[in-house]
Amino acid sequence: MKKKILVVEDERTIADILVFNLEREGYEAASAGDGPAGLKMALEGAPDLILLDVMLPEMDGFEVLRQVRAQSQVPVIMLTAREEESDKVDALEMGADDYITKPFSMRELMARVKANMRRTVSAEAEAPAAAKEGKLVISPEQSAVYKNGKPLDLSVREYDILNYLSKTPGRVVTREELMEKVWGYEYYGDLRAVDVAIRRLREKVEDEPAQPKYIITKRGMGYYYPEQP
Ligand code: CA
């Protein structure tokens, strides 16, 4: 089955180039030219990933993202303008998985698409036997995390961060290292993306995000997963 990608972009030439290149890479691609149409296709078309422009007619990309996130954890990559620095952090705060700055190269875009595509977790997957009451269980076979025996609704990035930290309990991992290893491409300058992702991850994983048990901050150094959470 081909993975479906939705492109929400009002600049027709950019949308056409994206659809053309995505199809050439073996994806099924469709595009919408304004916010309401994009939102409708996002919610009804069950895409596997969304490329979402920020500046859109009628309803901007942030509002589309907000409404999509109210219903779905589909990976979303925002397309932002270079001059709008604050857009990037806003997008991540609102639950975008990633952003890419215009103008971008097609090669860079494809790398982001690949890195953000959700690895399929079967909806019927059984919780591992170890997923007991109160325990956090990370299942690399399923790319899933269970808490109290129930799967957590994590994004790919959130799963990858937790999985990476937990592989070396007690070792402090710098934000630069997380960016390089988890984001899957070279550190490109904005470490706030790491902090935002950690904050969102804690909200899903921790009992009390303000007093984390699983993702601990080592002030001025980075983050670690404790040896005995
Ligand atoms: Ca636009």
Side-chain angles (χ1 to χ4, degrees):
M1 271 271 281
K2 283 185 178 179
K3 295 277 190 188
K4 282 196 282 186
I5 298 180
L6 171 62
V7 176
V8 187
E9 166 64 80
D10 58 315
E11 283 170 72
R12 193 56 194 270
T13 42
I14 297 179
D16 287 350
I17 291 168
L18 285 172
V19 167
F20 174 81
N21 281 277
L22 289 165
E23 287 178 342
R24 207 176 54 173
E25 291 288 320
Y27 298 109
E28 190 181 318
S31 69
D34 62 53
L39 178 62
K40 189 168 189 292
M41 287 170 76
L43 297 179
E44 294 174 7
D48 295 293
L49 184 143
I50 302 173
L51 294 171
L52 179 57
D53 188 28
V54 171
M55 298 298 285
L56 290 168
E58 293 178 63
M59 179 194 288
D60 72 11
F62 292 126
E63 182 57 20
V64 175
L65 174 64
R66 194 184 66 77
Q67 294 199 34
V68 167
R69 273 291 169 268
Q71 299 192 33
S72 155
Q73 281 296 328
V74 59
V76 175
I77 303 175
M78 301 292 283
L79 309 177
T80 68
R82 191 172 291 282
E83 56 271 25
E84 300 297 335
E85 264 308 306
S86 62
D87 278 3
K88 298 166 187 173
V89 175
D90 288 350
L92 296 170
E93 294 275 6
M94 293 178 70
D97 295 86
D98 207 349
Y99 58 79
I100 189 163
T101 307
K102 291 178 179 177
F104 47 78
S105 74
M106 212 39 77
R107 191 160 158 248
E108 186 187 4
L109 181 102
M110 288 304 166
R112 298 292 179 88
V113 166
K114 222 173 140 188
N116 284 281
M117 188 65 78
R118 181 180 278 280
R119 290 174 291 279
T120 45
V121 177
S122 163
E124 297 89 44
E126 286 277 314
K132 295 189 201 104
E133 285 290 300
K135 285 270 183 194
L136 192 74
V137 173
I138 300 163
S139 169
E141 297 76 33
Q142 300 174 345
S143 295
V145 177
Y146 294 86
K147 193 174 178 190
N148 300 326
K150 294 197 181 69
L152 294 179
D153 197 10
L154 303 186
S155 71
V156 174
R157 184 87 71 223
E158 289 159 355
Y159 168 79
D160 285 348
I161 291 169
L162 189 59
N163 187 44
Y164 188 78
L165 292 176
S166 69
K167 277 193 288 193
T168 54
R171 183 175 75 88
V172 177
V173 177
T174 64
R175 297 190 298 165
E176 287 84 352
E177 180 180 340
L178 275 176
M179 179 63 83
E180 189 191 324
K181 302 291 186 188
V182 171
W183 269 246
Y185 40 85
E186 271 187 43
Y187 162 54
Y188 58 100
D190 195 348
L191 292 170
R192 287 174 300 180
V194 176
D195 299 328
V196 172
I198 292 274
R199 188 154 65 245
R200 293 184 64 87
L201 177 58
R202 278 177 173 156
E203 279 166 18
K204 297 180 184 181
V205 167
E206 303 286 355
D207 297 325
E208 294 176 61
Q211 293 175 315
K213 274 170 31 190
Y214 301 107
I215 304 148
I216 318 289
T217 302
K218 182 82 175 170
R219 193 173 286 277
M221 292 179 72
Y223 301 99
Y224 68 96
Y225 189 89
E227 284 178 55
Q228 286 186 321

